[in-house]
Amino acid sequence: MSKRLPIKVAAVQAAPIFFDLDACLDKAKKFVDDAAKQGCDLIAFGEAWFPGYPFHIWLGAPAWGMQFTTRYFENSVEVGTPEFERLCQMARDANIMISTGISERSGGSLYLSQVLIGRDGSIVSLRRKLKPTHVERSVFGEGYGADLVVSDTDIGRVGQLCCWEHIQPLSKYALYSQNEEIHISAWPAFVVYRENAHALGAEVNMAASQIYAVEGQSFVVAATSVIDQAALDFFKVGEEVPPFIELGGGSSMIFGPDGRKLAEFLSETEEGLIVAELDFDQIVMAKAVADPAGHYSKPEATRLLLNRDPIRPVVSPAEYAAEDTSSFETIGAQEASE
């Protein structure tokens, strides 16, 4: 059997141009081209990097935050638009796979989504965050079981989760069970309520990405954004709202399937790429020790029921009558004996 060749991946650590989609695309192209020049096969951006994470929802009263609603909606990403095609063209021109978090616009709704674009510019997968976290629910709709997907690509089996989906044990297990090899972990900048919300900081959330690598025996490409002075000015921090966010918050990293860091951290205010080579033999070694969805599982004790049926809000009577649970999956090493 032939040995798989190593690949190279990059995690972006950078501030988007908040709520300006065209400017975000211009800035992103520089990172994509840089990663391609370094021989990377994949580049990953953070949560809602296009057009920036809506930090205003954490900063002030809902009535104050409404001033950003229209601009955020208009600069969110809609599949099939010229702006989305620019993102696909970047992948095509650079011959690189792009994973990024987007605020996805669909009809009149927004979703915290992640898109994986192949080297040829085609959509490999488009998923939505199953449950937006806390005040995110005032902006974004929810995803479904069908959004827990791992895609078979030319560089390996790639999966994605956003932010605090990494503390949802069942969602993680659903991806582990699909033999995920490369996991994209998308995060915003870790700057919210630093004095009073330790759980929202870099230490805890990078630990979540690191533990994901160990639990799933996969490489984890954890991409974050950065808050720069332009962002503080945009959100009127210190002018109209207290300093609930501050400069920095970048903490991008790439972890091996045994949890080790495969690069050095940049400073939290620095923009750049975290680049690492992935040797798939490391997955073989890690799974020989513990494979929680395989030989290390105990399905007669605990199993996961995964519903991958896409749910639509409007169906015809015939479609409704035909709905069943045929796509439910019980995940474990083997079926428990009756």
Side-chain angles (χ1 to χ4, degrees):
M1 184 173 64
S2 62
K3 175 180 170 64
R4 288 178 64 178
L5 295 176
I7 67 166
K8 190 179 285 188
V9 299
V12 176
Q13 178 172 304
I17 312 300
F18 280 88
F19 302 5
D20 187 335
L21 181 55
D22 286 332
C24 284
L25 289 163
D26 290 340
K27 185 169 184 176
K29 188 176 188 306
K30 298 174 184 177
F31 289 107
V32 170
D33 290 345
D34 185 14
K37 288 177 182 177
Q38 294 189 53
C40 293
D41 301 281
L42 176 145
I43 182 172
F45 293 82
E47 185 178 39
W49 205 88
F50 298 93
Y53 182 84
F55 280 102
H56 61 278
I57 59 180
W58 298 90
L59 301 181
W64 174 87
M66 291 293 286
Q67 66 183 294
F68 299 99
T69 298
T70 299
R71 181 168 180 176
Y72 196 68
F73 182 85
E74 291 177 346
N75 281 273
S76 290
V77 180
E78 184 172 349
V79 175
T81 59
E83 291 79 13
F84 185 80
E85 176 54 31
R86 282 184 62 190
L87 190 57
C88 295
Q89 190 63 47
M90 281 184 215
R92 200 176 295 125
D93 290 344
N95 190 32
I96 192 171
M97 189 173 293
I98 297 176
S99 171
T100 186
I102 61 174
S103 171
E104 181 199 354
R105 188 177 69 217
S106 179
S109 295
L110 298 179
Y111 300 91
L112 262 177
S113 298
Q114 287 169 287
V115 62
L116 183 63
I117 300 171
R119 300 175 191 266
D120 62 355
S122 64
I123 299 175
V124 177
S125 67
L126 175 65
R127 67 170 303 270
R128 294 169 176 172
K129 189 173 185 177
L130 268 68
K131 176 70 74 171
T133 303
H134 197 46
V135 290
E136 290 174 357
R137 295 172 210 162
S138 67
V139 178
F140 301 107
E142 300 183 354
Y144 301 103
D147 294 299
L148 294 172
V149 60
V150 173
S151 301
D152 201 3
T153 78
D154 65 340
I155 65 170
R157 294 186 57 77
V158 181
Q160 302 161 300
L161 290 177
C162 271
C163 199
W164 266 21
E165 288 186 306
H166 292 88
I167 63 169
Q168 288 280 12
L170 302 185
S171 295
K172 294 192 296 181
Y173 196 74
L175 296 194
Y176 300 159
S177 73
Q178 297 175 59
N179 298 315
E180 186 182 31
E181 295 174 313
I182 303 168
H183 177 74
I184 312 299
S185 179
W187 301 89
F190 300 120
V191 291
V192 176
Y193 306 160
R194 278 184 165 170
E195 296 300 317
N196 300 306
H198 184 73
L200 300 179
E203 181 181 359
V204 169
N205 292 292
M206 280 299 99
S209 290
Q210 186 175 34
I211 289 298
Y212 189 101
V214 176
E215 287 182 347
Q217 300 85 50
S218 63
F219 293 99
V220 172
V221 184
T224 66
S225 60
V226 171
I227 289 292
D228 57 10
Q229 187 59 51
L232 294 182
D233 294 342
F234 179 79
F235 291 116
K236 305 175 183 178
V237 175
E239 177 187 349
E240 293 186 7
V241 291
F244 293 140
I245 60 173
E246 55 192 90
L247 294 173
S251 188
S252 295
M253 183 45 61
I254 300 169
F255 297 99
D258 60 358
R260 76 181 66 192
K261 297 190 294 292
L262 299 183
E264 296 298 323
F265 282 105
L266 300 174
S267 70
E268 67 168 309
T269 58
E270 186 178 353
E271 296 191 331
L273 296 177
I274 300 291
V275 177
E277 187 174 85
L278 312 187
D279 180 355
F280 290 95
D281 281 351
Q282 294 179 25
I283 294 179
V284 176
M285 294 298 294
K287 284 196 176 294
V289 177
D291 183 0
H295 66 79
Y296 203 44
S297 66
K298 289 291 290 178
E300 82 283 3
T302 56
R303 292 186 289 173
L304 168 65
L305 184 66
L306 173 61
N307 177 16
R308 297 192 187 185
D309 278 336
I311 307 297
R312 292 175 293 165
V314 179
V315 295
S316 70
E319 290 171 324
Y320 178 77
E323 287 185 350
D324 59 28
T325 60
S326 60
S327 67
F328 276 45
E329 295 183 42
T330 304
I331 294 170
Q334 60 185 12
E335 290 298 316
S337 58
E338 297 298 329

